[in-house]
Every structure is written in structure tokens, then in C-alpha cells.
Amino acid sequence: MSTVPENLRYAETHEWVEDIGGGRYRVGITDHAQELLGDLVFVELPALGSQIRAGNPCGVLESVKAAADLYAPISGTVAEVNEALGENPQWLNEDPHGRGWIMVVNADATAWDGLLDAAAYARIAEA
Amino acid sequence: MSADAGVAVALQHTPLSAWHRAHGARMVPFAGWEMPLHYGSQLAEHEAVRNGTGFFDVSHMRPLDISGPDARALLRYALANDVAKLDGQDGKALYSPVLNAQGGILDDLIVYARGGGRYRVVLNAGTAQADTAHFRNLVAAHGWRVDLRERPELAMLAVQGPRARGLAAEALDLPVLNALASFTAMEGHALGGVFVGRTGYTGEDGVEVILAAEQAPVLAERLRDRGAVPCGLGARDSLRLEAGLNLNGQDMSPAVTPWESNLGWTVDLRGERDFLGRAALEAQRAAGVGRTLVGLVLDEGIPRHGYAVEDANGRPCGEVTSGIFSPSLRRGIALARVSAAPSAGGRLWVSVRGVRHPALVVKPPFWRAGRPNFSPSKEKSS
């Protein structure tokens, strides 16, 4: 069973979003997503300062077998990226909600509204 | 990431289906079967096969027993390789493509001679039914007397790795496996009767064990008790690609011939043997074969199925048929079908999401006997 923390919100494209205050949102992929992808070996992160749009691809996650698009769960400006994932893509598997965070996005509060709560996402992940 | 759209299809289940779930497998559909993708980590499973012992449920691959007075005639006609090589060598195995009249590849298989004019072939999951119908049609068209017997009551496990054969010998209580020659099979009384071939799809030593379906979980437990690691389709794919082994339906299809698939060595043109596709293969060779299947090694970027391959001038010259991040080499490797390929040591380029990455052309396998199987580029790397 995959973990779905209560304090996060989720996109149907399997990213989590954490409100860290001041219009800043931390983003990563869900435990369910990393389980589906298998061992990750390479990540292509969005550029710092780039504009991302909810539901659009903004990066690439590569496992041994396949490349998968990383979708933006919310619209906004990329304020930070987790550069350490370049050397440690396995953190996405080992700790997707912690060390495996992907980026921080500056967004307005309405971005948060369209996301799923833990219970709703858990239903998708278990379907 | 995006999940694949779910399509409701009735999947077949192997006799180890419950065993896989009990051991934490992530199950996925593959060629009409529900199979384990991995049991937690594809990389760890890959590593187990390269350095210890791993085992795979390959019960989706289907044994077909071929006997009768004209069994040999059927196989000499239906296969590009010549089963006459197996005459008088009971247990010996042979790899061969199955071709259509145009020389296109319908499937690839291993055929084992079982003595007394009897043979066993093992067919790929997605093509087993079509192959069997194809053989039946050939038998009918030639008026041959051949008995084709599908074996749905049998399961198959592949035990692979440098220590696999010794471990399988213990698990099956068949010490004779330690002396089994490569590409040879034997039959034993263990677990109600087993057929064990020293064959595989990983580039490592090992055996493939065909046994009664109800005994498959017993053997799986015995292997695991002795330290063998259960492995899924993910590791199977990365292992076979490092070993330079084609995957039917991906690296080859009815649209390409053995000449275009790095399988020229399997086409036996000696003598006058009439086999399906021979005329087309000879004509293609006389006219010149335009495409070849080569290996590519990238320092940066991971090549994937369908990615474009370009020459030094940026002209498209083919595409990647299989591409992965190689766990053993820690870089991207691929099989690519290209026209006018430079020889091994030369260079091509792979377009990865719009960025051109240089690739070293190598002759597969990429990995052999515990080390890389190619020399660094002759050209200076920039």
C-alpha cells in the first residue's frame, strides 16, 4: 500500500503539493507514482524562474525502462528546484515526500483549490 | 507522470500468480498475461542476476511438443536455422527465427531435440497461438504427419546468474545439472518430472525449468529459500538488452528480416534445404541489405524505443528499437535499426527530446562475462 499523507494535496497526474506559506508550494511525485515508475535513474527538472501551467508537462522522470513526463500540478513560477536529485534520483523512490521533493513553485492561493485532498487521491491511487 | 489508460481485458494468469502477490510483486499486463514487473526494485533484481542468482516466472512462454514421422521435415521448413544440426544429439537446443514467405520474422524460439524424432519448441507469449496455427497450416499444406501438442498444464521458471546452475541443482536435487552443457536440456524425476535446459535470456549462465503447473510454487519456494531473488519483467528487459538479445515485436517483426536484425548467424543457407523465406532472404542479400540493427552506447541521455537516430550530418538514418538505462554500464544503451551504419567504434547521434546526443556504435552484446563488451570510441570524445 502506498502512503498518502493527510497534510498534502494531490493532482490526478500523481504529484503532491505542500503549502509552505507565503504563496510558496513544494511539489513532488506521490509514493504511488514512484511505485508505478520503478527505480528512477534520471530526472530533468524545470528551469528556475520558468512558468509552469497546471496539467502541462514541465520535466521528465526516467526509470530504467521508460521516460515519463512530470506534470505541473499547479500553475506558477518555479522558485527552487531540488538539484540534488541529479546525483540522487533514487531519493524519488526512497523518500518521495521528503528528500525526493522536486521543486518549489510561487503561485496564488487559488492554485491550491483545484487539488484533491488525501482521501480523494487515495481512491485514485487504489483504483 | 501519467498513468496508462486502463483497458479491461481478460488476462491469463500463470500458476505463480498468487505467489507473486504474496511476495509483493507489482503486477502488470504483458502480451495478454498478468506478470510481475518487479518485487520492489528492478535495479536490485538486475544486480542479483549479474552477481548472484535470480529467477523469473516465464510461464507466459509456451511449450509446444512436435512429434510424428514428419516433425523434422516441418521444422526444417519452418525455421531459418536447420534442426538437422540437432540430429543424433538428444537434448541439444537451437535458436531460430520463424519466417514468413517474405523472410519477415514471425517469432523467435528455442527448439530442443528430445530423441526419437521428437522436439519441443518454446514460443513467445504474444505469438504462441499464431505460431501454432502457422505450423498447423504448413503441416496441412504439405500433407505431413505431425502431432502438435500444446502444453497448457506446464509452467516455466528461468533461474539465471553466475551461481544459478549450482543453486538449481540443489533446489531440484539434480547434481547432474552441474555438468549440463550449454544449450542442452535434460529431463529429471524431480517434482513429478522436470525438463531443464541450460538456456536463458539474460546473458548469464543458468537454466530454464519446465515443470507441472502445480509444482511451480514449490520450486519458487525452494529457490528463494536458497537465496535466489525473484525477478520481474523489468529486470528481464534490462538484462536481455545488455546481453544484446532481441525482443520479438520490438526489435524485430514481420516487417524485417534476420539480415536487418543482427540475426544473420541464425540463417542456415548451406545445401539446398527449402525453408520458408529462403528465396526472399537470398534475393534481399543479392540486392543489398539496406538496414542493420546496431548497438548504441550514450554518455549522456537515455535512448528510448522510437527515438530518431541521425548521422554526422544530422540526416535521419533510423530509429531506436529498444533503449534503456543500463544498470551495469550506468548509461543509456540501445538497439537501433539504421541505414548506412558506421562500423563498430564509429558514431551516430540520438535525438533525445530535441537534443542530439552522440552515441558510440557497438556490436551487441553490451555486457558479457562481468564486464563491458566494447572498446571506447576511436574518435576523441568532445
Side-chain angles (χ1 to χ4, degrees):
Chain A
M1 286 312 294
S2 55
T3 312
V4 185
E6 289 288 336
N7 61 318
L8 306 176
R9 292 231 182 152
Y10 300 87
E12 286 180 19
T13 44
H14 305 288
E15 295 80 32
W16 55 260
V17 181
E18 180 185 10
D19 184 349
I20 54 176
R24 290 158 57 82
Y25 298 88
R26 185 176 286 126
V27 169
I29 60 166
T30 64
D31 190 32
H32 177 65
Q34 69 79 20
E35 219 179 272
L36 285 181
L37 287 164
D39 291 315
L40 289 156
V41 294
F42 179 79
V43 287
E44 203 171 287
L45 301 168
L48 264 183
S50 63
Q51 300 288 321
I52 59 172
R53 282 190 50 196
N56 286 2
C58 65
V60 178
L61 305 171
E62 301 213 43
S63 64
V64 176
K65 172 69 178 166
D69 284 323
L70 168 69
Y71 287 89
I74 55 174
S75 298
T77 307
V78 177
E80 283 179 52
V81 294
N82 186 357
E83 301 283 1
L85 291 179
E87 286 296 309
N88 304 285
Q90 73 278 11
W91 289 355
L92 287 161
N93 296 111
E94 294 167 3
D95 193 10
H97 302 113
R99 282 193 305 173
W101 67 277
I102 291 173
M103 59 185 163
V104 172
V105 179
N106 287 334
D108 62 62
T110 57
W112 179 259
D113 294 342
L115 296 169
L116 303 167
D117 63 19
Y121 179 70
R123 281 194 291 276
I124 291 179
E126 283 160 25
Chain B
M1 62 163 288
S2 63
D4 286 336
V7 179
V9 283
L11 293 171
Q12 301 194 68
H13 297 89
T14 79
L16 285 163
S17 204
W19 192 92
H20 298 316
R21 288 176 190 289
H23 291 83
R26 170 157 288 281
M27 304 297 285
V28 294
F30 177 79
W33 294 75
E34 192 189 54
M35 300 299 294
L37 179 63
H38 61 73
Y39 301 79
S41 169
Q42 173 178 346
L43 290 173
E45 293 163 23
H46 183 105
E47 166 75 14
V49 173
R50 286 282 177 253
N51 294 306
T53 305
F55 68 99
F56 304 80
D57 177 12
V58 286
S59 303
H60 58 313
M61 299 185 68
R62 299 313 314 158
L64 175 70
D65 288 346
I66 303 176
S67 60
D70 297 317
R72 181 173 175 275
L74 166 66
L75 290 167
R76 290 198 82 198
Y77 184 71
L79 305 184
N81 214 336
D82 189 358
V83 293
K85 288 172 183 161
L86 306 178
D87 289 352
Q89 300 189 78
D90 298 354
K92 193 71 186 152
L94 186 73
Y95 171 83
S96 181
V98 183
L99 306 179
N100 61 23
Q102 293 74 43
I105 299 172
L106 297 173
D107 200 1
D108 65 336
L109 55 73
I110 290 177
V111 53
Y112 300 91
R114 302 183 74 191
R118 297 173 308 136
Y119 299 87
R120 169 169 287 174
V121 297
V122 178
L123 307 169
N124 282 310
T127 40
Q129 265 193 318
D131 292 342
T132 306
H134 171 65
F135 293 152
R136 286 194 198 288
N137 288 339
L138 294 178
V139 167
H142 289 83
W144 282 323
R145 290 166 301 159
V146 176
D147 180 42
L148 292 167
R149 187 172 165 216
E150 294 169 69
R151 302 299 303 268
E153 77 284 15
L154 297 179
M156 183 160 160
L157 279 85
V159 192
Q160 302 280 295
R163 299 194 297 114
R165 210 147 40 93
L167 194 145
E170 277 182 33
L172 291 166
D173 194 20
L174 282 175
V176 66
L177 281 186
N178 289 303
L180 187 66
S182 184
F183 249 70
T184 303
M186 56 155 292
E187 300 183 39
H189 295 296
L191 297 176
V194 291
F195 179 95
V196 187
R198 189 173 166 194
T199 48
Y201 193 51
T202 63
E204 299 295 337
D205 195 4
V207 293
E208 293 177 297
V209 184
I210 297 174
L211 76 176
E214 65 273 15
Q215 299 291 347
V218 179
L219 179 56
E221 278 302 308
R222 288 191 190 174
L223 292 167
R224 196 167 161 278
D225 286 348
R226 287 167 174 79
V229 174
C231 301
L233 290 179
R236 188 166 165 80
D237 192 54
S238 50
L239 288 158
R240 70 92 191 167
L241 189 51
E242 286 184 351
L245 300 169
N246 294 357
L247 173 60
N248 190 51
Q250 185 160 312
D251 304 305
M252 50 198 183
S253 73
V256 295
T257 66
W259 308 137
E260 298 164 311
S261 306
N262 198 27
L263 290 178
W265 64 274
T266 67
V267 180
D268 192 333
L269 293 173
R270 292 175 304 171
E272 300 297 308
R273 179 175 63 107
D274 180 26
F275 64 89
L276 198 58
R278 177 168 189 151
L281 291 186
E282 288 181 329
Q284 187 185 36
R285 199 161 72 162
V289 181
R291 298 180 296 176
T292 81
L293 192 70
V294 297
L296 301 177
V297 178
L298 283 70
D299 284 337
E300 278 180 29
I302 305 173
R304 304 292 184 184
H305 175 78
Y307 282 11
V309 179
E310 298 170 359
D311 66 15
N313 301 312
R315 280 189 295 260
C317 67
E319 67 174 38
V320 170
T321 56
S322 288
I324 54 157
F325 175 82
S326 159
S328 302
L329 293 162
R330 309 299 302 170
R331 63 188 65 193
I333 61 170
L335 293 176
R337 183 164 286 107
V338 296
S339 53
S343 53
R347 187 165 290 199
L348 289 171
W349 280 258
V350 180
S351 184
V352 178
R353 296 185 292 276
V355 180
R356 261 164 65 89
H357 291 282
L360 178 68
V361 176
V362 305
K363 183 167 172 48
F366 301 90
W367 187 262
R368 191 164 176 276
R371 59 178 66 89
N373 187 49
F374 55 88
S375 320
S377 175
K378 288 170 193 161
E379 299 169 40
K380 179 135 175 66
S381 183
S382 55

